Amino acid sequence: MRMRPTKLILIIPVALLVVFFYVPLISILQTGLWDNGPTLKFISSVLVNSYHRRVIEFTVAQALASTVLTLAIGLPGAYIFAKYDFPGKRTIRAVLTVPFVMPSVMVALGFILLFGRGGIITDLIGHDLGILYSWKGILLAHAFYNFPIVVRMVSALWQRINPHYEEAAMTLGARGWRLFWRVTLPMLSPAIFASAMLTFVFCFLSFSIPLIIGGYRYATIEVDIFTSIMTLLDFRTGAALAVIQIVLSMVFMYLYLKSLDAYAKREEQRVMQRPRRMTLSELASLKGSLIITYALFIFIFIVSPLLAVLYDSLHFNGVWSLENYRRIFSAEYDPMFGASTLDAIRNSLTFGFATVFLSLLTALPIAYSMHRWNFRGKRVFDVLATLPLASSAITLGLGYIRVFSGTALYYTPWLLIAAYTIISYPFVLRTVSASLKKIRPNLWEAALSLGAKEWKAFLRVELPLALGGLIVGSIFAFAMSIAELGATYMLAKPEYTTMTLAVYKFLGARQFGSASALAVLLMLISTAGFLLIERTGEEVW
Amino acid sequence: MVSVELRGIQKRWEDFALTIERLRARDGELLTLLGPSGCGKTTTLRIIAGLEKPNSGEVLFDGTPVNDLPPYERNIGIVFQDYALFPHMTVFKNVAFGLEMRKLPRMEIERRVKRALELVNLEGLENRYPEQLSGGQQQRIALARALVVEPQVLLLDEPLSNLDAKIRERLRSEIKRIQRELKITTIYVTHDQEEAMALSDRIAVMNFGRIEQVGKPLELYHHPKTEFVARFLGSSNILELKAENGVVRLGSLRFNVGISGRVKMFFRPESVRVKEGNDAHVVDYEILPGRVRFKLKIDGKVITSEGLLSDIPFDIEEPPKRVGVEISTFAIL
Ligand SMILES: Nc1ncnc2c1ncn2[C@@H]1O[C@H](COP(=O)(O)OP(=O)(O)OP(=O)(O)O)[C@@H](O)[C@H]1O
Ligand SMILES: [Mg+2]
């Protein structure tokens, strides 16, 4: 009998996507656009409301501003990384991975501890910089998360620009800025545009950061949906906002994917230029000191929120102490969110692993079929499988409340895991597909000619070669699931409280010490993920 | 071993069509597909392997259609131009792969891998990874990997084109030795006519997705049926002449061609022997290592002759103005 992988392998992924993404999505569309027939009245009532309109404008504006700030911080780094080797470069490069795995609740907490009243930097300078609870804090935190993307994507392309172009232009008389503007920049633009689009989309859909350090005045659409549903119980408004958000983010996501195509095409020209080792005298020059200053700056930028959290967790009433840790593990604190800290740790880990498992179960068959087969409607299928990228956790949470409340699934951890899977599987799909694409088709054909059936050739030859991408994708899925706040808040019964949710609740109760102690534990888990990514050596984007 | 036959094969892409009415590689034979870049050699090979589905036509192994068999059930061995060694597997694992797929016992696998590595003269590299091998070594591993499963058919797609000239010649004779030793039906793809001449039992010359002519190397060389084949295999003399009563006249020379009217007469420079006499005018000459090439004019037509220096019956430093000419082998295109 012949064993050939059939379209049957797509049954599980398609079922998961339909039940946990498309049905909830349709329910949201129905809530937002239907009242005994199609209607735009909920949408328009959101649009005429000055608060919601301001939120929408602010969401776009802060995403734009965050993107500009991110580019401003990231582009010099891209240049330095592409062109120079300097002492400590490896460390800095590794540190750039940290934001990918750090939960935003923790980073928000770090910002509070640095810039808040009585914060470390506030104390140091002697007055409040007004960063917290304003748009400045939001922008800074967004830059923290996204500038590594810019550094990595742009420097990767910069290294591959054939030096002959620049040399040819120089012989034709272009020099300095003119050379950069006329020759280098146009060749870099796909990377700049793709990384900027990605940054923009992330900032547009940002939740935890504006929720915690933006306050009521600086809400994004995502936060607005959340408060509409959770505090005002106004599902119509929530759904209308969600529809507006989905439409906008689909447009942005489309632009991002287009720009990514252009980027991938450019990246293929593999003229790798080794960065130049800087000599000691160069390091001492103006250029050298600028580079060192920049490296130091980004190191401090990334590490300081984390250190602030660590420092705070080890202080109680102004003295060094382990009291915070004792407290979070003591029984008297359980009633606070209905689960002990150990429960929260266990929940985070089990949900995380379950998410990785389900994400792989969803992403692998889709990646395989897109990689291997040509079938009718492949493009449509591709779009439908990628669409979850344009949705958000809060939107999913809303959809799940509409669809599953009253069913047996409601209030089970499965709904949480499903939500985590839907938001994180596209990343697994992307990293795995990207790795598969890099494998020469010959290898697969050689395996077939040697008697390997299709699935065996895939398992024995292609999958091992795509392992780096698979591991990085899995770590992402894990990191996203343990960092998720909004949908968890909306859907979790108290005993399914996760570490992230617990940190948030400690924050809400203004118990910063306990929040920090728990956040440090979260940080340890994230660090394990970070070390794993470093070991695979796979490019993250 | 088996014979491989293609019947009525058609394969179409937007800007390319492959058509093979009939092509047969006999049992144990080394058949070469020879042709310029883009003529469809690789495509033909991939159709035989089952890696490409033809739009129509049949592939037969020993008279049995294998069209519906996937590659992994055709019992073939392929060596790709870039070898396609699995980068994450050691040499041993690479060579053992096909045997593992056939679920042979461990001992048997080890024995056969060892023998295959001996066959290609590469013992002792079992634990290296492909990237730790030279191009020539990688090429042999790829060959061992293809051969170890004892395939019915061996398919080689320009297996030597990524190597430098010296290694190429050595591996060429090695491939031929192994092929003779195993008597395995082999289809060999190349665009290098020298390689094809040196290796093949028979050659199929391809052009623009069609087979122009199939035959033994010398038969194609001296008796091509088309101008393309004539020119592709080496330097040629092609003359447009008139035949009367089945006889072509070129100066004082006469050739029985059996037909009348305008003919295109073909012969190789090596078929033109220069001797003492008065048939042709010497236009120019060129001395090559051990050989000499003459440009001669007969009856207003310029022809080239090439021969061993030692066969020239006069002092080459001072050749006569006119020489005698004998054309041993010719063909009508
Ligand atoms: N998958 C494909 N899709 C479209 N066209 C193809 C495909 N594969 C091959 N072709 C076209 O078919 C023609 C023959 O290709 P093929 O690879 O068989 O040539 P070849 O004789 O092996 O050439 P070379 O010596 O360059 O390897 C080429 O014009 C090529 O562009
Ligand atoms: Mg080819």
PDB file of all heavy atoms in Angstrom, chain A residues 440 442-448 450 457 460-461 465, chain B residues 83-91 93-95 97-98 129-131 145:
ATOM      1  N   ARG A 440      17.448  23.366  -0.499  1.00  0.00           N
ATOM      2  CA  ARG A 440      17.434  23.113  -1.941  1.00  0.00           C
ATOM      3  C   ARG A 440      16.464  21.985  -2.264  1.00  0.00           C
ATOM      4  O   ARG A 440      16.463  20.954  -1.595  1.00  0.00           O
ATOM      5  CB  ARG A 440      18.835  22.728  -2.414  1.00  0.00           C
ATOM      6  CG  ARG A 440      19.764  23.902  -2.573  1.00  0.00           C
ATOM      7  CD  ARG A 440      21.134  23.414  -2.928  1.00  0.00           C
ATOM      8  NE  ARG A 440      21.680  22.565  -1.870  1.00  0.00           N
ATOM      9  CZ  ARG A 440      22.564  21.608  -2.060  1.00  0.00           C
ATOM     10  NH1 ARG A 440      23.005  21.364  -3.255  1.00  0.00           N
ATOM     11  NH2 ARG A 440      23.000  20.908  -1.050  1.00  0.00           N
ATOM     12  N   ASN A 442      16.552  19.864  -4.450  1.00  0.00           N
ATOM     13  CA  ASN A 442      17.288  18.652  -4.802  1.00  0.00           C
ATOM     14  C   ASN A 442      17.346  17.622  -3.688  1.00  0.00           C
ATOM     15  O   ASN A 442      17.351  16.426  -3.938  1.00  0.00           O
ATOM     16  CB  ASN A 442      18.741  19.020  -5.109  1.00  0.00           C
ATOM     17  CG  ASN A 442      18.927  19.303  -6.560  1.00  0.00           C
ATOM     18  OD1 ASN A 442      18.003  19.073  -7.327  1.00  0.00           O
ATOM     19  ND2 ASN A 442      20.083  19.782  -6.932  1.00  0.00           N
ATOM     20  N   LEU A 443      17.450  18.095  -2.461  1.00  0.00           N
ATOM     21  CA  LEU A 443      17.633  17.173  -1.341  1.00  0.00           C
ATOM     22  C   LEU A 443      16.406  16.287  -1.189  1.00  0.00           C
ATOM     23  O   LEU A 443      16.498  15.082  -0.973  1.00  0.00           O
ATOM     24  CB  LEU A 443      17.882  17.950  -0.052  1.00  0.00           C
ATOM     25  CG  LEU A 443      19.149  18.788  -0.046  1.00  0.00           C
ATOM     26  CD1 LEU A 443      19.340  19.448   1.299  1.00  0.00           C
ATOM     27  CD2 LEU A 443      20.356  17.924  -0.375  1.00  0.00           C
ATOM     28  N   TRP A 444      15.269  16.909  -1.312  1.00  0.00           N
ATOM     29  CA  TRP A 444      14.015  16.187  -1.236  1.00  0.00           C
ATOM     30  C   TRP A 444      13.925  15.173  -2.371  1.00  0.00           C
ATOM     31  O   TRP A 444      13.559  14.012  -2.178  1.00  0.00           O
ATOM     32  CB  TRP A 444      12.891  17.226  -1.285  1.00  0.00           C
ATOM     33  CG  TRP A 444      11.593  16.805  -1.862  1.00  0.00           C
ATOM     34  CD1 TRP A 444      11.199  16.891  -3.148  1.00  0.00           C
ATOM     35  CD2 TRP A 444      10.507  16.239  -1.137  1.00  0.00           C
ATOM     36  NE1 TRP A 444       9.931  16.433  -3.280  1.00  0.00           N
ATOM     37  CE2 TRP A 444       9.476  16.013  -2.061  1.00  0.00           C
ATOM     38  CE3 TRP A 444      10.300  15.898   0.197  1.00  0.00           C
ATOM     39  CZ2 TRP A 444       8.260  15.474  -1.700  1.00  0.00           C
ATOM     40  CZ3 TRP A 444       9.091  15.356   0.553  1.00  0.00           C
ATOM     41  CH2 TRP A 444       8.089  15.142  -0.378  1.00  0.00           C
ATOM     42  N   GLU A 445      14.302  15.595  -3.573  1.00  0.00           N
ATOM     43  CA  GLU A 445      14.238  14.692  -4.722  1.00  0.00           C
ATOM     44  C   GLU A 445      15.231  13.551  -4.572  1.00  0.00           C
ATOM     45  O   GLU A 445      14.929  12.402  -4.906  1.00  0.00           O
ATOM     46  CB  GLU A 445      14.506  15.476  -6.003  1.00  0.00           C
ATOM     47  CG  GLU A 445      13.381  16.469  -6.283  1.00  0.00           C
ATOM     48  CD  GLU A 445      13.645  17.341  -7.484  1.00  0.00           C
ATOM     49  OE1 GLU A 445      14.797  17.391  -7.956  1.00  0.00           O
ATOM     50  OE2 GLU A 445      12.696  17.982  -7.941  1.00  0.00           O
ATOM     51  N   ALA A 446      16.415  13.861  -4.035  1.00  0.00           N
ATOM     52  CA  ALA A 446      17.401  12.806  -3.814  1.00  0.00           C
ATOM     53  C   ALA A 446      16.827  11.770  -2.847  1.00  0.00           C
ATOM     54  O   ALA A 446      16.956  10.556  -3.062  1.00  0.00           O
ATOM     55  CB  ALA A 446      18.687  13.398  -3.252  1.00  0.00           C
ATOM     56  N   ALA A 447      16.168  12.243  -1.800  1.00  0.00           N
ATOM     57  CA  ALA A 447      15.590  11.315  -0.819  1.00  0.00           C
ATOM     58  C   ALA A 447      14.536  10.430  -1.482  1.00  0.00           C
ATOM     59  O   ALA A 447      14.499   9.214  -1.267  1.00  0.00           O
ATOM     60  CB  ALA A 447      14.991  12.093   0.350  1.00  0.00           C
ATOM     61  N   LEU A 448      13.685  11.051  -2.312  1.00  0.00           N
ATOM     62  CA  LEU A 448      12.660  10.260  -3.005  1.00  0.00           C
ATOM     63  C   LEU A 448      13.316   9.199  -3.888  1.00  0.00           C
ATOM     64  O   LEU A 448      12.905   8.039  -3.907  1.00  0.00           O
ATOM     65  CB  LEU A 448      11.783  11.149  -3.889  1.00  0.00           C
ATOM     66  CG  LEU A 448      10.811  12.100  -3.220  1.00  0.00           C
ATOM     67  CD1 LEU A 448       9.903  12.706  -4.279  1.00  0.00           C
ATOM     68  CD2 LEU A 448       9.987  11.397  -2.167  1.00  0.00           C
ATOM     69  N   LEU A 450      15.978   7.748  -3.512  1.00  0.00           N
ATOM     70  CA  LEU A 450      16.600   6.693  -2.712  1.00  0.00           C
ATOM     71  C   LEU A 450      15.563   5.824  -2.020  1.00  0.00           C
ATOM     72  O   LEU A 450      15.906   4.992  -1.183  1.00  0.00           O
ATOM     73  CB  LEU A 450      17.537   7.308  -1.674  1.00  0.00           C
ATOM     74  CG  LEU A 450      18.798   7.927  -2.265  1.00  0.00           C
ATOM     75  CD1 LEU A 450      19.500   8.804  -1.264  1.00  0.00           C
ATOM     76  CD2 LEU A 450      19.720   6.831  -2.770  1.00  0.00           C
ATOM     77  N   ALA A 457      10.687  11.491   3.559  1.00  0.00           N
ATOM     78  CA  ALA A 457      11.678  12.443   3.069  1.00  0.00           C
ATOM     79  C   ALA A 457      11.542  13.756   3.835  1.00  0.00           C
ATOM     80  O   ALA A 457      12.530  14.396   4.181  1.00  0.00           O
ATOM     81  CB  ALA A 457      11.494  12.675   1.580  1.00  0.00           C
ATOM     82  N   ARG A 460      12.817  13.090   7.539  1.00  0.00           N
ATOM     83  CA  ARG A 460      14.228  12.749   7.709  1.00  0.00           C
ATOM     84  C   ARG A 460      15.171  13.800   7.124  1.00  0.00           C
ATOM     85  O   ARG A 460      16.280  13.972   7.603  1.00  0.00           O
ATOM     86  CB  ARG A 460      14.531  11.398   7.043  1.00  0.00           C
ATOM     87  CG  ARG A 460      13.926  10.201   7.748  1.00  0.00           C
ATOM     88  CD  ARG A 460      14.712   9.866   9.015  1.00  0.00           C
ATOM     89  NE  ARG A 460      16.135   9.665   8.772  1.00  0.00           N
ATOM     90  CZ  ARG A 460      16.686   8.504   8.471  1.00  0.00           C
ATOM     91  NH1 ARG A 460      15.941   7.421   8.401  1.00  0.00           N
ATOM     92  NH2 ARG A 460      17.979   8.420   8.272  1.00  0.00           N
ATOM     93  N   VAL A 461      14.714  14.463   6.077  1.00  0.00           N
ATOM     94  CA  VAL A 461      15.632  15.382   5.401  1.00  0.00           C
ATOM     95  C   VAL A 461      15.251  16.841   5.614  1.00  0.00           C
ATOM     96  O   VAL A 461      16.061  17.649   6.059  1.00  0.00           O
ATOM     97  CB  VAL A 461      15.706  15.072   3.895  1.00  0.00           C
ATOM     98  CG1 VAL A 461      16.546  16.107   3.174  1.00  0.00           C
ATOM     99  CG2 VAL A 461      16.280  13.679   3.694  1.00  0.00           C
ATOM    100  N   LEU A 465      16.521  19.921   8.715  1.00  0.00           N
ATOM    101  CA  LEU A 465      17.201  21.107   8.206  1.00  0.00           C
ATOM    102  C   LEU A 465      16.438  22.378   8.564  1.00  0.00           C
ATOM    103  O   LEU A 465      16.997  23.464   8.576  1.00  0.00           O
ATOM    104  CB  LEU A 465      17.390  21.002   6.695  1.00  0.00           C
ATOM    105  CG  LEU A 465      18.406  19.943   6.273  1.00  0.00           C
ATOM    106  CD1 LEU A 465      18.380  19.734   4.776  1.00  0.00           C
ATOM    107  CD2 LEU A 465      19.799  20.337   6.721  1.00  0.00           C
TER     108      LEU A 465
ATOM    109  N   TYR B  83      25.188  17.458  -6.430  1.00  0.00           N
ATOM    110  CA  TYR B  83      25.319  16.283  -5.553  1.00  0.00           C
ATOM    111  C   TYR B  83      24.157  16.078  -4.594  1.00  0.00           C
ATOM    112  O   TYR B  83      23.803  14.948  -4.291  1.00  0.00           O
ATOM    113  CB  TYR B  83      26.630  16.304  -4.743  1.00  0.00           C
ATOM    114  CG  TYR B  83      27.806  16.787  -5.545  1.00  0.00           C
ATOM    115  CD1 TYR B  83      28.683  17.714  -5.045  1.00  0.00           C
ATOM    116  CD2 TYR B  83      27.999  16.318  -6.842  1.00  0.00           C
ATOM    117  CE1 TYR B  83      29.750  18.178  -5.809  1.00  0.00           C
ATOM    118  CE2 TYR B  83      29.054  16.769  -7.612  1.00  0.00           C
ATOM    119  CZ  TYR B  83      29.923  17.701  -7.089  1.00  0.00           C
ATOM    120  OH  TYR B  83      30.949  18.154  -7.842  1.00  0.00           O
ATOM    121  N   ALA B  84      23.592  17.184  -4.055  1.00  0.00           N
ATOM    122  CA  ALA B  84      22.454  17.070  -3.133  1.00  0.00           C
ATOM    123  C   ALA B  84      22.727  16.105  -1.986  1.00  0.00           C
ATOM    124  O   ALA B  84      21.863  15.340  -1.585  1.00  0.00           O
ATOM    125  CB  ALA B  84      21.179  16.656  -3.896  1.00  0.00           C
ATOM    126  N   LEU B  85      23.932  16.149  -1.445  1.00  0.00           N
ATOM    127  CA  LEU B  85      24.191  15.365  -0.231  1.00  0.00           C
ATOM    128  C   LEU B  85      23.448  16.019   0.925  1.00  0.00           C
ATOM    129  O   LEU B  85      23.359  17.240   0.993  1.00  0.00           O
ATOM    130  CB  LEU B  85      25.691  15.330   0.060  1.00  0.00           C
ATOM    131  CG  LEU B  85      26.538  14.588  -0.976  1.00  0.00           C
ATOM    132  CD1 LEU B  85      28.010  14.687  -0.630  1.00  0.00           C
ATOM    133  CD2 LEU B  85      26.118  13.126  -1.067  1.00  0.00           C
ATOM    134  N   PHE B  86      22.918  15.195   1.838  1.00  0.00           N
ATOM    135  CA  PHE B  86      22.184  15.756   2.969  1.00  0.00           C
ATOM    136  C   PHE B  86      23.176  16.401   3.930  1.00  0.00           C
ATOM    137  O   PHE B  86      24.013  15.712   4.516  1.00  0.00           O
ATOM    138  CB  PHE B  86      21.381  14.675   3.676  1.00  0.00           C
ATOM    139  CG  PHE B  86      20.460  13.929   2.749  1.00  0.00           C
ATOM    140  CD1 PHE B  86      20.451  12.545   2.722  1.00  0.00           C
ATOM    141  CD2 PHE B  86      19.604  14.610   1.892  1.00  0.00           C
ATOM    142  CE1 PHE B  86      19.608  11.856   1.860  1.00  0.00           C
ATOM    143  CE2 PHE B  86      18.762  13.933   1.030  1.00  0.00           C
ATOM    144  CZ  PHE B  86      18.762  12.551   1.009  1.00  0.00           C
ATOM    145  N   PRO B  87      23.081  17.725   4.113  1.00  0.00           N
ATOM    146  CA  PRO B  87      24.123  18.413   4.886  1.00  0.00           C
ATOM    147  C   PRO B  87      24.131  18.041   6.365  1.00  0.00           C
ATOM    148  O   PRO B  87      25.141  18.218   7.028  1.00  0.00           O
ATOM    149  CB  PRO B  87      23.790  19.893   4.700  1.00  0.00           C
ATOM    150  CG  PRO B  87      22.381  19.931   4.255  1.00  0.00           C
ATOM    151  CD  PRO B  87      22.089  18.642   3.563  1.00  0.00           C
ATOM    152  N   HIS B  88      22.994  17.548   6.864  1.00  0.00           N
ATOM    153  CA  HIS B  88      22.930  17.248   8.302  1.00  0.00           C
ATOM    154  C   HIS B  88      23.279  15.792   8.599  1.00  0.00           C
ATOM    155  O   HIS B  88      23.113  15.338   9.712  1.00  0.00           O
ATOM    156  CB  HIS B  88      21.548  17.573   8.834  1.00  0.00           C
ATOM    157  CG  HIS B  88      20.447  16.801   8.154  1.00  0.00           C
ATOM    158  ND1 HIS B  88      20.262  16.829   6.785  1.00  0.00           N
ATOM    159  CD2 HIS B  88      19.502  15.988   8.633  1.00  0.00           C
ATOM    160  CE1 HIS B  88      19.235  16.066   6.476  1.00  0.00           C
ATOM    161  NE2 HIS B  88      18.761  15.538   7.574  1.00  0.00           N
ATOM    162  N   MET B  89      23.734  15.054   7.598  1.00  0.00           N
ATOM    163  CA  MET B  89      24.081  13.656   7.813  1.00  0.00           C
ATOM    164  C   MET B  89      25.549  13.423   7.458  1.00  0.00           C
ATOM    165  O   MET B  89      26.075  14.038   6.535  1.00  0.00           O
ATOM    166  CB  MET B  89      23.223  12.748   6.930  1.00  0.00           C
ATOM    167  CG  MET B  89      21.748  12.786   7.254  1.00  0.00           C
ATOM    168  SD  MET B  89      20.886  11.585   6.225  1.00  0.00           S
ATOM    169  CE  MET B  89      19.208  12.185   6.376  1.00  0.00           C
ATOM    170  N   THR B  90      26.159  12.492   8.188  1.00  0.00           N
ATOM    171  CA  THR B  90      27.540  12.148   7.872  1.00  0.00           C
ATOM    172  C   THR B  90      27.579  11.395   6.559  1.00  0.00           C
ATOM    173  O   THR B  90      26.537  11.015   6.007  1.00  0.00           O
ATOM    174  CB  THR B  90      28.138  11.235   8.951  1.00  0.00           C
ATOM    175  OG1 THR B  90      27.339  10.050   8.996  1.00  0.00           O
ATOM    176  CG2 THR B  90      28.149  11.911  10.315  1.00  0.00           C
ATOM    177  N   VAL B  91      28.775  11.162   6.065  1.00  0.00           N
ATOM    178  CA  VAL B  91      28.955  10.380   4.847  1.00  0.00           C
ATOM    179  C   VAL B  91      28.277   9.017   5.013  1.00  0.00           C
ATOM    180  O   VAL B  91      27.514   8.571   4.149  1.00  0.00           O
ATOM    181  CB  VAL B  91      30.457  10.205   4.549  1.00  0.00           C
ATOM    182  CG1 VAL B  91      30.666   9.106   3.516  1.00  0.00           C
ATOM    183  CG2 VAL B  91      31.040  11.514   4.060  1.00  0.00           C
ATOM    184  N   LYS B  93      25.824   8.158   6.998  1.00  0.00           N
ATOM    185  CA  LYS B  93      24.364   8.302   7.032  1.00  0.00           C
ATOM    186  C   LYS B  93      23.808   8.578   5.637  1.00  0.00           C
ATOM    187  O   LYS B  93      22.747   8.084   5.267  1.00  0.00           O
ATOM    188  CB  LYS B  93      23.981   9.442   7.978  1.00  0.00           C
ATOM    189  CG  LYS B  93      23.963   9.032   9.433  1.00  0.00           C
ATOM    190  CD  LYS B  93      22.650   8.369   9.743  1.00  0.00           C
ATOM    191  CE  LYS B  93      22.634   7.751  11.122  1.00  0.00           C
ATOM    192  NZ  LYS B  93      21.552   6.760  11.257  1.00  0.00           N
ATOM    193  N   ASN B  94      24.537   9.405   4.899  1.00  0.00           N
ATOM    194  CA  ASN B  94      24.111   9.707   3.540  1.00  0.00           C
ATOM    195  C   ASN B  94      24.029   8.447   2.699  1.00  0.00           C
ATOM    196  O   ASN B  94      23.019   8.189   2.042  1.00  0.00           O
ATOM    197  CB  ASN B  94      25.083  10.693   2.890  1.00  0.00           C
ATOM    198  CG  ASN B  94      24.600  12.114   2.940  1.00  0.00           C
ATOM    199  OD1 ASN B  94      23.683  12.490   2.208  1.00  0.00           O
ATOM    200  ND2 ASN B  94      25.171  12.908   3.827  1.00  0.00           N
ATOM    201  N   VAL B  95      25.098   7.662   2.745  1.00  0.00           N
ATOM    202  CA  VAL B  95      25.133   6.468   1.895  1.00  0.00           C
ATOM    203  C   VAL B  95      24.134   5.428   2.411  1.00  0.00           C
ATOM    204  O   VAL B  95      23.521   4.702   1.635  1.00  0.00           O
ATOM    205  CB  VAL B  95      26.567   5.894   1.845  1.00  0.00           C
ATOM    206  CG1 VAL B  95      26.609   4.650   0.974  1.00  0.00           C
ATOM    207  CG2 VAL B  95      27.521   6.942   1.298  1.00  0.00           C
ATOM    208  N   PHE B  97      21.307   6.009   3.757  1.00  0.00           N
ATOM    209  CA  PHE B  97      19.919   6.482   3.732  1.00  0.00           C
ATOM    210  C   PHE B  97      18.975   5.575   2.941  1.00  0.00           C
ATOM    211  O   PHE B  97      17.941   5.134   3.431  1.00  0.00           O
ATOM    212  CB  PHE B  97      19.880   7.905   3.179  1.00  0.00           C
ATOM    213  CG  PHE B  97      18.524   8.556   3.246  1.00  0.00           C
ATOM    214  CD1 PHE B  97      18.130   9.239   4.372  1.00  0.00           C
ATOM    215  CD2 PHE B  97      17.631   8.467   2.170  1.00  0.00           C
ATOM    216  CE1 PHE B  97      16.882   9.837   4.447  1.00  0.00           C
ATOM    217  CE2 PHE B  97      16.383   9.062   2.240  1.00  0.00           C
ATOM    218  CZ  PHE B  97      16.010   9.741   3.381  1.00  0.00           C
ATOM    219  N   GLY B  98      19.383   5.270   1.695  1.00  0.00           N
ATOM    220  CA  GLY B  98      18.517   4.454   0.841  1.00  0.00           C
ATOM    221  C   GLY B  98      18.307   3.053   1.399  1.00  0.00           C
ATOM    222  O   GLY B  98      17.228   2.466   1.255  1.00  0.00           O
ATOM    223  N   TYR B 129      31.224  15.183   7.572  1.00  0.00           N
ATOM    224  CA  TYR B 129      30.030  15.790   7.007  1.00  0.00           C
ATOM    225  C   TYR B 129      30.344  16.293   5.600  1.00  0.00           C
ATOM    226  O   TYR B 129      31.498  16.619   5.310  1.00  0.00           O
ATOM    227  CB  TYR B 129      29.530  16.929   7.897  1.00  0.00           C
ATOM    228  CG  TYR B 129      28.804  16.411   9.116  1.00  0.00           C
ATOM    229  CD1 TYR B 129      29.472  16.126  10.296  1.00  0.00           C
ATOM    230  CD2 TYR B 129      27.438  16.149   9.044  1.00  0.00           C
ATOM    231  CE1 TYR B 129      28.792  15.621  11.395  1.00  0.00           C
ATOM    232  CE2 TYR B 129      26.761  15.638  10.129  1.00  0.00           C
ATOM    233  CZ  TYR B 129      27.438  15.380  11.309  1.00  0.00           C
ATOM    234  OH  TYR B 129      26.755  14.872  12.372  1.00  0.00           O
ATOM    235  N   PRO B 130      29.332  16.380   4.744  1.00  0.00           N
ATOM    236  CA  PRO B 130      29.592  16.758   3.351  1.00  0.00           C
ATOM    237  C   PRO B 130      30.423  18.024   3.209  1.00  0.00           C
ATOM    238  O   PRO B 130      31.292  18.109   2.345  1.00  0.00           O
ATOM    239  CB  PRO B 130      28.188  16.957   2.772  1.00  0.00           C
ATOM    240  CG  PRO B 130      27.337  16.026   3.558  1.00  0.00           C
ATOM    241  CD  PRO B 130      27.928  16.002   4.946  1.00  0.00           C
ATOM    242  N   GLU B 131      30.169  19.019   4.086  1.00  0.00           N
ATOM    243  CA  GLU B 131      30.889  20.287   3.923  1.00  0.00           C
ATOM    244  C   GLU B 131      32.383  20.127   4.205  1.00  0.00           C
ATOM    245  O   GLU B 131      33.173  21.010   3.906  1.00  0.00           O
ATOM    246  CB  GLU B 131      30.290  21.349   4.852  1.00  0.00           C
ATOM    247  CG  GLU B 131      30.389  20.933   6.294  1.00  0.00           C
ATOM    248  CD  GLU B 131      29.732  21.923   7.266  1.00  0.00           C
ATOM    249  OE1 GLU B 131      28.990  22.786   6.798  1.00  0.00           O
ATOM    250  OE2 GLU B 131      29.982  21.790   8.473  1.00  0.00           O
ATOM    251  N   ARG B 145      26.156   6.798  -2.867  1.00  0.00           N
ATOM    252  CA  ARG B 145      24.819   6.813  -2.297  1.00  0.00           C
ATOM    253  C   ARG B 145      23.786   6.321  -3.300  1.00  0.00           C
ATOM    254  O   ARG B 145      22.833   5.627  -2.952  1.00  0.00           O
ATOM    255  CB  ARG B 145      24.468   8.236  -1.840  1.00  0.00           C
ATOM    256  CG  ARG B 145      23.136   8.324  -1.157  1.00  0.00           C
ATOM    257  CD  ARG B 145      22.831   9.736  -0.702  1.00  0.00           C
ATOM    258  NE  ARG B 145      22.562  10.623  -1.829  1.00  0.00           N
ATOM    259  CZ  ARG B 145      22.186  11.884  -1.690  1.00  0.00           C
ATOM    260  NH1 ARG B 145      22.083  12.418  -0.476  1.00  0.00           N
ATOM    261  NH2 ARG B 145      21.950  12.636  -2.741  1.00  0.00           N
TER     262      ARG B 145
END
